[in-house]
Amino acid sequence: MSINWFKFSSPATFYPLAGKLIPIFGVLTALIGIFGLYWGFFQTPDVLTDQKQYYRIIFIHVPAAWMSMWLYVIVVAWSLIGLIFNARLAYMIAAAVAPTGAIMTVLALFTGAVWGKTSWGTWWDWDPRMTSELILLFIYVGYMALRSAIEDNRRSDRASAVLALVGLVCIPVIFWSVNCPDPNQCAALHQSSSMSGIESNILFAMLTMTVSFWMYCFLVPLMRARNIILEREHDTAWVTEMLEVKK
Amino acid sequence: MFNIFRCIVMRDLTLAMRRKTDVLTTMFFFIIVVSLFPLGVGTEKETLRHIAPGVVWVAALLASMLALERLFASDYSDGTLEQMLLTPQPLTVLVLGKVLAHWLLTGLPLVLIAPLVGLQYHLSIESTGVMMLALLIGTPVLSLIGAIGAALTLGLRGGGILLSLLILPLYIPILIYGSGAVAASAIPGSELQAYFSLLAAFLLMALIFSPLATAAGLRISVE
Amino acid sequence: MLEIVDLACIRGDRRLFSGLNFSLMPGSLLYIKGHNGSGKTTLLRTICGLFLAEDGEIRWNDKNVRSLCEDYNKEVLYLGHHNGIKYDLTGYENLQISATLDGDDVDEDKILYALAKMGLAGFEDLPTQVLSQGQKRRVALARLLINSSKLWILDEPFTALDVAAVDLLQSVIAEHVANGGMVILTTHQEVALTAGQVQTLQLGD
Amino acid sequence: MSITEFFHMGGFGLFIWSSVGVTFALMAIEIIVVKKQHGTISKRLTRMLRMNKKVDQ
């Protein structure tokens, strides 16, 4: 059966669909999350001996960091769809995703700082990846600040879409310049990312946690999207009749 | 096409000349910020020489940031911006003209003032020269990227603070390599070519992409 | 020839109008009437390309305006609530800049003639800041005389004008319509037309 | 893996559990806030609806 994408592109049809999806993602987030944590804390053999117990923070830190970057790409993608198809719903979803992306960045920064404290002894040592995460947070804050500064929804949607696009073009350059400030001898990542020699159980636990975070990043934006739809479509027929039914 | 570009640049320059004070404010802001640091950090020669690159570039960033608000604001308020959007000329050329005029009034003075800062911070002649060249290539990029923010936050109350919130993260690569060049120039025998080619690459990228984004931003804001 | 095909505009989550259809032949004048907030200004700004309509299409000589973009801008002159002139520049400089930007090569005495015709003789090289509100409006209206656009879109052009200026503007509009131009304006004064036909469009209920 | 060891985590217990705790707390707070927003918006809209209905009669 061919999925008629445009059927779901109107807020009226998207709203009930989101309503049905939210409980599903809620249950998935919880189940996979618990399973991931159980696997991470109990199934990992004694590889994590005493002095390396702090390693378990990566079960939270890495998924949050991945999600923070992934959600920014999602925001830009929906903004692009909005700009090209002039679809109001696409802008609303971009608006719904951004705050969750910002929270993921905050989580990544916090857990990263705790990780830094345990492994290198200082809360913040301007490690290139952590600095990039901090800059990503500034970009999120800038995006949300612009969105809330403009009252007219139409203009705030399109202005923030352009800003998100400009941000996406600049992010690789920023991350690269933070990682390699001295172009002559570009020590790309002086902290070689410890992904290579990782023990399979830990990797499995971390990947499950990433899936759980991913489900979470579907859940909350969908809920926030419903709020935005209600707010913006309050004088449309389907909202009034829906509210009457509920009253 | 070129005489349109020239017309816009001359228009903005004559406008600025009519109000002499606006031209000098950015430069004096830069000087004040640069002169504040020694009072705060201490005037010991070695530390000053060490912090000079970072201070100069952060001050240049802030100075060009504050001057950005005037880029479109006066045209927006008296309706000439609308007329510009309705001319049969490509908007990107008009935007480039305005940004060039804006850079001549705010970016270039910073470059010319750099020797004074070099003296204040006991920089060697060679370092001051590198600083001037780095500023010469870097400040246009600041104006170009800043123009995008100015276009997006047109007519918003509290636009200045919002503008800096949007644009400062995007300035970071220029800050890193700009101050990196000046710092590297202090080390004898260090290779500066890489820094300047990077800054030039940023300038080229900004020249190509930022007028498009600024034009889109203007169309959205003037609606 | 301008054609509007079921145009719809939404401003701030409020649907101003939808399914708007009309066309304008050369040598005709269109009044747009409606109470405040009925979307008159938005309609004018949509026609001249400043505002993006929700849906519907605007065609100029049977070609969609969005594909024409710059060529269409050549044909259109928009005068909104703002005067569109820089107050630090003199009347002469303002007109010269807008002429070069519009791509018309206009020589000096044509500008001086336009300014003189609008009753600004002697005020040409004063910064428009010192002029009165009415005189500033006249400088903005002087652009009509030196501009080669066919379609004029005027948003309440008669505001802040004294009686003499109103007659002057009416004669300029009538003359423009007489030799094949098109004018869309929102106003409260009627324009006495000798040639060409007059259409009216009522916006809002 | 006795309970005390579980919480001790080789001396890093505080660090691990604070980061895990803050993470899940922040996520839970976000869910609750958005849910509450939903409630207030629909309440406000229904009240506005009732007001308009009263005006129409």
Side-chain angles (χ1 to χ4, degrees):
Chain A
M1 57 98 176
S2 79
I3 303 167
N4 167 358
W5 290 113
F6 286 96
K7 186 163 93 54
F8 293 122
S9 81
S10 86
T13 45
F14 178 80
Y15 189 89
L17 169 74
K20 285 199 280 296
L21 288 177
I22 284 172
I24 300 166
F25 283 121
V27 166
L28 278 177
T29 312
L31 282 185
I32 300 175
I34 293 163
F35 176 69
L37 280 180
Y38 161 75
W39 197 272
F41 278 91
F42 293 102
Q43 283 308 319
T44 48
D46 49 19
V47 162
L48 288 181
T49 51
D50 263 357
Q51 61 282 54
K52 287 199 68 189
Q53 292 280 17
Y54 66 83
Y55 209 72
R56 296 180 198 278
I57 298 180
I58 63 162
F59 297 146
I60 307 284
H61 175 59
V62 171
W66 281 351
M67 282 303 124
S68 65
M69 293 177 203
W70 175 245
L71 284 187
Y72 190 77
V73 174
I74 298 290
V75 165
V76 173
W78 280 111
S79 303
L80 256 181
I81 293 172
L83 278 177
I84 295 165
F85 298 107
N86 202 5
R88 287 201 323 282
L89 181 64
Y91 290 127
M92 294 185 202
I93 298 173
V97 169
T100 306
I103 285 180
M104 282 296 154
T105 329
V106 167
L107 285 178
L109 282 170
F110 176 73
T111 48
V114 170
W115 174 276
K117 180 65 179 152
T118 54
S119 64
W120 307 316
T122 58
W123 290 99
W124 184 264
D125 82 336
W126 291 100
D127 165 66
R129 286 170 305 174
M130 290 304 287
T131 326
S132 315
E133 203 64 45
L134 184 64
I135 298 166
L136 185 61
L137 179 65
F138 295 153
I139 293 176
Y140 268 116
V141 166
Y143 176 85
M144 292 194 286
L146 179 68
R147 202 171 248 292
S148 59
I150 306 173
E151 289 82 21
D152 170 23
N153 286 330
R154 242 172 85 90
R155 178 181 167 184
S156 87
D157 287 347
R158 295 162 74 212
S160 46
V162 169
L163 179 69
L165 220 58
V166 169
L168 188 72
V169 169
C170 291
I171 279 182
V173 180
I174 295 173
F175 283 10
W176 186 73
S177 67
V178 166
N179 274 313
C180 147
D182 181 353
N184 293 333
Q185 20 96 7
C186 186
L189 273 175
H190 61 79
Q191 233 109 12
S192 72
S193 98
S194 52
M195 212 48 72
S196 45
I198 191 163
E199 195 264 345
S200 65
N201 270 336
I202 300 174
L203 184 64
F204 177 75
M206 194 179 64
L207 291 183
T208 1
M209 282 309 287
T210 309
V211 172
S212 159
F213 271 61
W214 200 31
M215 292 302 124
Y216 174 83
C217 291
F218 273 104
L219 171 72
V220 178
L222 276 178
M223 291 166 73
R224 193 175 289 116
R226 275 163 55 103
N227 294 354
I228 296 174
I229 290 174
L230 262 187
E231 198 117 8
R232 288 199 187 177
E233 309 273 311
H234 60 270
D235 55 6
T236 54
W238 69 275
V239 170
T240 32
E241 150 242 310
M242 186 187 74
L243 288 175
E244 254 139 29
V245 161
K246 195 184 283 186
K247 185 158 51 56
Chain B
M1 183 69 69
F2 180 72
N3 83 45
I4 304 292
F5 184 77
R6 197 172 48 77
C7 165
I8 285 283
V9 174
M10 292 317 295
R11 165 187 178 265
D12 272 23
L13 291 182
T14 35
L15 266 172
M17 283 313 136
R18 296 276 158 85
R19 285 183 187 282
K20 289 262 181 318
T21 52
D22 292 355
V23 175
L24 304 176
T25 44
T26 318
M27 198 166 60
F28 277 112
F29 174 84
F30 177 72
I31 298 167
I32 292 169
V33 168
V34 165
S35 316
L36 285 179
F37 277 86
L39 308 177
V41 170
T43 55
E44 197 271 334
K45 186 190 289 248
E46 204 40 49
T47 44
L48 281 190
R49 192 173 288 145
H50 191 60
I51 64 168
V55 163
V56 164
W57 271 95
V58 168
L61 247 63
L62 297 180
S64 78
M65 171 68 55
L66 290 177
L68 274 175
E69 227 181 324
R70 284 201 313 274
L71 185 56
F72 296 118
S74 63
D75 288 350
Y76 178 72
S77 58
D78 56 25
T80 32
L81 194 59
E82 275 171 6
Q83 299 301 337
M84 254 193 250
L85 261 64
L86 293 174
T87 56
Q89 316 303 343
L91 187 51
T92 44
V93 171
L94 303 180
V95 162
L96 265 179
K98 280 195 76 64
V99 170
L100 173 64
H102 175 265
W103 178 70
L104 289 174
L105 296 169
T106 55
L108 203 52
L110 303 191
V111 177
L112 303 178
I113 279 294
L116 184 97
V117 173
L119 291 180
Q120 253 184 342
Y121 281 73
H122 313 290
L123 286 180
S124 68
I125 302 297
E126 213 253 349
S127 287
T128 317
V130 166
M131 180 160 67
M132 288 179 74
L133 186 57
L135 277 173
L136 188 66
I137 306 175
T139 40
V141 186
L142 299 181
S143 296
L144 281 163
I145 298 181
I148 303 174
L152 289 174
T153 59
L154 207 51
L156 298 179
R157 55 176 183 359
I161 303 292
L162 183 66
L163 176 62
S164 48
L165 211 61
L166 304 186
I167 289 304
L168 281 178
L170 309 183
Y171 278 168
I172 287 171
I174 301 135
L175 172 65
I176 289 176
Y177 290 119
S179 52
V182 183
S185 71
I187 309 152
S190 60
E191 181 54 49
L192 297 179
Q193 207 276 332
Y195 287 100
F196 287 123
S197 51
L198 270 173
L199 284 175
F202 291 149
L203 178 59
L204 212 60
M205 227 172 86
L207 271 173
I208 297 164
F209 290 117
S210 88
L212 297 171
T214 314
L218 285 179
R219 284 197 199 290
I220 292 168
S221 303
V222 162
E223 216 172 43
Chain C
M1 198 270 280
L2 181 74
E3 222 183 311
I4 310 289
V5 178
D6 56 49
L7 197 70
C9 278
I10 293 180
R11 189 163 197 122
D13 298 347
R14 202 162 59 84
R15 180 169 285 276
L16 294 174
F17 51 79
S18 58
L20 201 63
N21 285 292
F22 65 88
S23 67
L24 200 60
M25 303 307 295
S28 59
L29 179 112
L30 170 69
Y31 283 125
I32 296 183
K33 293 207 162 34
H35 54 74
N36 288 337
S38 61
K40 298 201 296 292
T41 305
T42 310
L43 174 59
L44 292 185
R45 290 172 75 93
T46 312
I47 295 172
C48 71
L50 281 177
F51 190 86
L52 185 64
E54 196 54 26
D55 52 45
E57 209 187 353
I58 299 169
R59 285 208 203 90
W60 176 259
N61 298 345
D62 301 333
K63 279 200 290 300
N64 187 319
V65 159
R66 296 184 68 76
S67 58
L68 284 170
C69 65
E70 263 108 31
D71 312 339
Y72 177 63
N73 285 352
K74 184 101 187 70
E75 303 298 340
V76 174
L77 181 124
Y78 171 72
L79 197 60
H81 300 307
H82 298 293
N83 288 334
I85 54 172
K86 294 303 285 185
Y87 292 137
D88 288 340
L89 297 175
T90 67
Y92 179 80
E93 282 164 345
N94 269 309
L95 287 182
Q96 203 192 357
I97 288 170
S98 61
T100 31
L101 284 186
D102 286 342
D104 321 329
D105 47 11
V106 170
D107 50 20
E108 192 184 335
D109 41 22
K110 195 163 185 234
I111 296 178
L112 293 179
Y113 165 73
L115 283 171
K117 193 167 183 220
M118 290 308 281
L120 291 164
F123 294 95
E124 294 91 354
D125 41 22
L126 282 174
T128 45
Q129 210 166 2
V130 303
L131 302 177
S132 74
Q133 191 57 18
Q135 283 170 323
K136 287 184 186 135
R137 195 67 182 165
R138 285 166 179 255
V139 171
L141 290 171
R143 266 187 69 210
L144 299 179
L145 301 175
I146 60 168
N147 198 293
S148 62
S149 309
K150 278 205 193 52
L151 169 63
W152 288 357
I153 301 181
L154 311 172
D155 200 347
E156 272 141 22
F158 296 104
T159 50
L161 286 185
D162 52 28
V163 176
V166 168
D167 302 342
L168 186 61
L169 182 57
Q170 284 180 338
S171 66
V172 166
I173 293 177
E175 190 194 316
H176 178 69
V177 169
N179 48 40
M182 298 194 257
V183 177
I184 302 178
L185 56 93
T186 60
T187 183
H188 316 298
Q189 278 102 340
E190 294 299 321
V191 177
L193 269 192
T194 50
Q197 29 118 335
V198 177
Q199 294 170 340
T200 50
L201 172 71
Q202 179 65 29
L203 263 190
D205 37 19
Chain D
M1 195 54 126
S2 69
I3 293 304
T4 53
E5 235 174 68
F6 180 78
F7 283 108
H8 183 51
M9 274 292 162
F12 295 106
L14 177 65
F15 296 111
I16 296 173
W17 294 114
S18 68
S19 57
V20 168
V22 161
T23 309
F24 289 114
L26 204 57
M27 288 162 97
I29 289 167
E30 190 186 9
I31 293 177
I32 293 164
V33 160
V34 175
K35 208 154 197 37
K36 207 154 56 63
Q37 265 173 3
H38 187 77
T40 42
I41 292 173
S42 50
K43 234 201 291 352
R44 180 164 54 85
L45 291 185
T46 33
R47 203 172 335 110
M48 241 164 61
L49 200 70
R50 218 174 294 120
M51 226 170 27
N52 298 350
K53 199 171 295 308
K54 217 182 259 83
V55 161
D56 298 345
Q57 271 132 19

